[in-house]
Amino acid sequence: MLFRRFFPKKGELLEQGTNYSFEGRFVDTLSFNHFTKDDFMKLQQIHQLLSPYQEEIVELFYEALKGISPKAAQTVTKKNIADYLRTFFTMERQREYVDESLRFFHRLRKESVNIGKLIVAFNQFNFFVLTTLLARVALSPKRCISLMAVLQRAINIEQQLLVEVYTEAMLEQIADGTAALMEQNTEIMFVKDLLRSLDEQNGNIQMVTAATEEINSSVFEVANAATVIAEKTTMAVEQAEQGQKMIAEAFHEIIETDQTFANMVRQFEHLQHHLTAIEKVMQLVNGIADQTNLLALNASIEAARAGEYGKGFSIVAEEIRKLADHTVQSLDEIRKNIGELRGISDNVSSAIHSTSTVIRQAVNQAEEALPILQTITQAMGDIQDSTNTNAAVAQEQAAAVDEISNRMAEIASLTEHVKQLGERTGKTIHELSQAIDRFRLQTVEGNGVKLSSKALLSLAKADHLLWKWRIYNMLIGIEHVRPDAVASHRHCRLGKWYFDEETQKWLKGIAAFDRLDMPHQAVHAAAKKAAEAYERGDIRQAESHLRELETASAEVVGYINGLIEKIERDRTFMNA
């Protein structure tokens, strides 16, 4: 009943406002909890009243933390907790205070301390402080109620900051996760090249199929020709073998002819000898005729001298002379015939000798030609075997080419099917990216929580990856991007954050921040030019601008990652 008349009214509990004025959203937090500068002075009074119990309060907080997460208690020391409590009670509620508190809360979050149990620990801390405060100033009810209300507002602010830290961390993880998903999605930009390659491959396959069909026809003609050649070669081999036999027989006949001509030569030589002997006999007979004629002449002379007595002897002598004359005439005739016979014999002998020489040369050439003919016949046999083998191989090749032609037709069909699957995959991935984008916008932006710089940067990174993804899908015909839909780099999420006065004061002078604007502007310019080129039907130029966009986007993402790392370092820094 003593404290009943000091109870606050409902309107007082719902009252808002603060007399703090500085830039930043923490002013809204102070205003929502109706925390003023006078409240801070009272909080310092509470700190003085609780000074004898500081070690006990630190021990209580540490044991509560140890109960929640023994691992976190090994990293977050009692000194860290004492520093945080000193900040809580003694530091003016300005931006510096927020930075110190948030570092402590981020440290707890990084150690994966459960938020629900951590709030319980704060409530236990609040209860201990309230009961201790009540014990110290119970005799002054009005002051006690006032101090308890200030303490509760300060604890509410801490819990709100704590929840915001964890919520922001969760949103940052979601934003970073969706950005990573979007980055993975953009890694699948090879689908465009895949589809284009499949188109080219399909065209090449059609050309190869047509060429294969022509080759197939040619190979069949070659196979048929090879078969015909094999057959002709077989006939040629048979004829060559018959020719070899005939030539061998002719060769033997030539040899026999050579022997016959040799006998004829010898016979003509004998004939020449006989003619010579006859000529000698004729010379002898001619001499005898001459002597006989001379004797007849002498007999006639002697008969004339004898007169009547010599008439008979004169007749005999005349007859002997006539006989001798006739013999001479006959010898002349015989000599003439013998001369003609010798001329003919000489001509025949010369012809026989020439023919014999020719036959001998022919025999020698035949002897030399016969092994060559045998080699040719053997070669013809080898050619026959090779031709038969080639004919068989040609038939096999014809069958293989026919099989290749069939396989090429199947490959062409399969390529077309793969292309259709690629198009479906591209559309599905595009739908997935849209679902991811809707999820991130609904989750991150649709919960009424003001986003941290890290979350904004993660979202901005996803935005730029998404623009690259949209232009890419425009080029493969899945999405339509109007040039006027590409906003200025000053009006997108990243641009608004970048050119915000508070952001400029905070980060200007940092290399990653200062260098971010130029590639960021290039991303928007390249996206707009790509959309314009695509509307003109200039696909090659649009692809060129997409490559420019990719290069600039990679720089933007790199600088954003650098800024996120800086923000993370600032959060986790704490004096030991």
Side-chain angles (χ1 to χ4, degrees):
M1 296 298 292
L2 180 63
F3 291 97
R4 185 173 182 83
R5 60 192 183 93
F6 300 110
F7 282 175
K9 297 179 181 179
K10 184 185 295 184
E12 293 176 352
L13 293 175
L14 298 177
E15 190 175 359
Q16 296 182 10
T18 182
N19 53 5
Y20 281 99
S21 60
F22 53 87
E23 294 181 355
R25 57 176 176 162
F26 185 58
V27 175
D28 296 333
T29 302
L30 295 175
S31 177
F32 181 78
N33 289 280
H34 193 43
F35 193 90
T36 63
K37 294 181 179 180
D38 183 60
D39 291 334
F40 173 67
M41 295 178 63
K42 291 178 180 178
L43 193 61
Q44 289 181 313
Q45 295 176 18
I46 295 172
H47 181 251
Q48 292 176 356
L49 291 171
L50 298 177
S51 58
Y53 308 98
Q54 286 184 6
E55 292 184 4
E56 190 175 353
I57 293 173
V58 170
E59 185 67 26
L60 172 68
F61 205 109
Y62 179 77
E63 289 299 324
L65 178 62
K66 188 175 180 180
I68 297 171
S69 175
K71 181 180 177 181
Q74 295 176 3
T75 305
V76 183
T77 63
K78 292 181 181 180
K79 182 179 183 306
N80 299 143
I81 295 173
D83 291 341
Y84 163 72
L85 291 176
R86 183 168 55 255
T87 298
F88 173 75
F89 283 110
T90 64
M91 184 172 283
E92 184 74 54
R93 287 330 188 240
Q94 298 285 353
R95 178 65 181 265
E96 291 76 10
Y97 167 79
V98 177
D99 292 340
E100 291 299 323
S101 296
L102 291 183
R103 287 193 184 97
F104 182 72
F105 294 155
H106 279 296
R107 183 72 173 272
L108 295 174
R109 180 191 62 80
K110 287 186 70 67
E111 296 299 330
S112 301
V113 180
N114 182 273
I115 178 66
K117 294 179 180 180
L118 195 56
I119 290 176
V120 172
F122 267 93
N123 288 334
Q124 290 174 345
F125 160 72
N126 186 32
F127 179 77
F128 179 82
V129 173
L130 285 174
T131 53
T132 304
L133 185 62
L134 184 62
R136 294 297 303 274
V137 292
L139 297 178
S140 302
K142 184 175 181 181
R143 184 187 176 200
C144 181
I145 292 295
S146 176
L147 295 177
M148 290 172 64
V150 168
L151 179 63
Q152 186 61 55
R153 285 196 290 273
I155 292 294
N156 288 344
I157 291 171
E158 294 304 297
Q159 290 183 338
Q160 183 176 344
L161 288 176
L162 179 63
V163 171
E164 286 180 357
V165 164
Y166 272 78
T167 302
E168 285 179 357
M170 180 187 67
L171 295 179
E172 288 169 0
Q173 290 176 352
I174 292 173
D176 191 55
T178 54
L181 286 173
M182 196 64 64
E183 191 167 7
Q184 291 297 318
N185 257 10
T186 57
E187 290 296 325
I188 314 177
M189 288 173 65
F190 61 82
V191 172
K192 172 173 67 68
D193 297 330
L194 171 63
L195 294 177
R196 179 174 297 171
S197 298
L198 287 173
D199 280 334
E200 293 178 358
Q201 179 179 339
N202 199 23
N204 291 333
I205 288 173
Q206 296 297 335
M207 293 175 61
V208 171
T209 302
T212 304
E213 291 176 354
E214 293 179 2
I215 293 173
N216 189 22
S217 176
S218 300
V219 168
F220 271 115
E221 291 179 1
V222 170
N224 293 332
T227 303
V228 172
I229 291 171
E231 295 173 353
K232 296 293 185 182
T233 304
T234 302
M235 294 175 61
V237 169
E238 293 174 355
Q239 292 175 356
E241 290 174 350
Q242 292 178 358
Q244 182 184 7
K245 292 179 181 178
M246 293 175 66
I247 291 173
E249 293 174 358
F251 173 70
H252 291 300
E253 291 178 358
I254 290 172
I255 293 175
E256 292 176 357
T257 302
D258 179 54
Q259 294 174 352
T260 302
F261 266 86
N263 292 330
M264 290 176 66
V265 169
R266 286 193 295 272
Q267 293 295 327
F268 266 92
E269 288 176 352
H270 288 301
L271 177 62
Q272 293 289 339
H273 290 304
H274 287 301
L275 288 173
T276 302
I278 290 170
E279 287 177 345
K280 289 180 180 180
V281 171
M282 287 176 63
Q283 289 175 359
L284 179 61
V285 172
N286 190 46
I288 293 172
D290 289 341
Q291 290 295 326
T292 300
N293 194 27
L294 181 61
L295 288 174
L297 179 61
N298 290 330
S300 294
I301 292 170
E302 289 299 327
R305 286 177 179 178
E308 247 350 279
Y309 297 105
K311 285 184 180 180
F313 184 72
S314 176
I315 294 170
V316 171
E318 183 65 26
E319 290 295 329
I320 290 172
R321 187 186 61 77
K322 288 180 181 179
L323 178 62
D325 289 338
H326 181 72
T327 299
V328 171
Q329 291 175 359
S330 298
L331 285 174
D332 288 337
E333 187 68 26
I334 290 171
R335 186 181 294 109
K336 184 178 180 181
N337 290 334
I338 289 296
E340 291 178 358
L341 179 61
R342 176 172 290 278
I344 294 170
S345 176
D346 288 340
N347 292 334
V348 171
S349 177
S350 176
I352 288 172
H353 278 290
S354 299
T355 303
S356 178
T357 303
V358 171
I359 290 172
R360 174 53 55 187
Q361 292 177 351
V363 169
N364 293 335
Q365 292 176 353
E367 288 177 346
E368 294 175 357
L370 190 58
I372 297 174
L373 182 61
Q374 291 175 346
T375 303
I376 292 172
T377 305
Q378 182 63 40
M380 290 291 290
D382 294 340
I383 291 172
Q384 179 191 13
D385 294 338
S386 299
T387 305
N388 290 334
T389 302
N390 290 338
V393 171
Q395 293 290 346
E396 292 176 359
Q397 287 179 343
V401 170
D402 186 56
E403 180 66 19
I404 291 172
S405 180
N406 295 332
R407 293 293 183 185
M408 291 301 295
E410 293 178 2
I411 291 173
S413 176
L414 180 61
T415 302
E416 183 62 28
H417 181 62
V418 171
K419 179 186 174 184
Q420 293 174 359
L421 290 177
E423 291 174 348
R424 288 175 56 188
T425 301
K427 291 179 181 178
T428 302
I429 294 171
H430 178 255
E431 292 172 359
L432 174 63
S433 67
Q434 290 180 322
I436 293 172
D437 188 45
R438 287 194 298 270
F439 169 77
R440 76 179 179 112
L441 294 178
Q442 292 171 359
T443 305
V444 178
E445 297 181 340
N447 53 22
V449 177
K450 188 173 182 180
L451 299 176
S452 66
S453 291
K454 181 181 177 181
L456 281 169
L457 287 171
S458 295
L459 286 175
K461 181 166 68 172
D463 288 342
H464 285 78
L465 292 171
L466 183 62
W467 264 114
K468 180 173 69 173
W469 180 243
R470 290 187 65 190
I471 297 299
Y472 163 76
N473 283 285
M474 175 191 74
L475 290 175
I476 61 176
I478 296 178
E479 185 172 352
H480 177 66
V481 179
R482 298 192 316 274
D484 56 4
V486 185
S488 165
H489 76 290
R490 287 179 169 268
H491 298 95
C492 69
R493 189 195 315 272
L494 179 60
K496 291 178 180 177
W497 173 85
Y498 185 88
F499 292 104
D500 181 76
E501 185 177 352
E502 185 177 351
T503 306
Q504 288 285 327
K505 290 180 180 179
W506 175 30
L507 295 173
K508 195 167 184 62
I510 296 173
F513 182 80
D514 293 341
R515 296 173 182 171
L516 176 60
D517 184 50
M518 186 174 294
H520 179 210
Q521 184 176 357
V523 167
H524 286 257
K528 189 177 186 68
K529 290 178 181 178
E532 291 172 346
Y534 186 80
E535 280 198 347
R536 294 195 307 268
D538 191 348
I539 305 301
R540 180 173 296 182
Q541 189 64 35
E543 289 182 343
S544 175
H545 290 309
L546 173 61
R547 289 191 291 271
E548 294 173 5
L549 191 155
E550 287 179 323
T551 302
S553 179
E555 290 188 58
V556 169
V557 170
Y559 292 140
I560 288 176
N561 288 336
L563 291 173
I564 290 175
E565 290 175 2
K566 179 194 182 305
I567 293 171
E568 193 64 32
R569 286 195 303 271
D570 291 345
R571 284 178 177 177
T572 56
F573 174 76
M574 176 184 289
N575 293 326

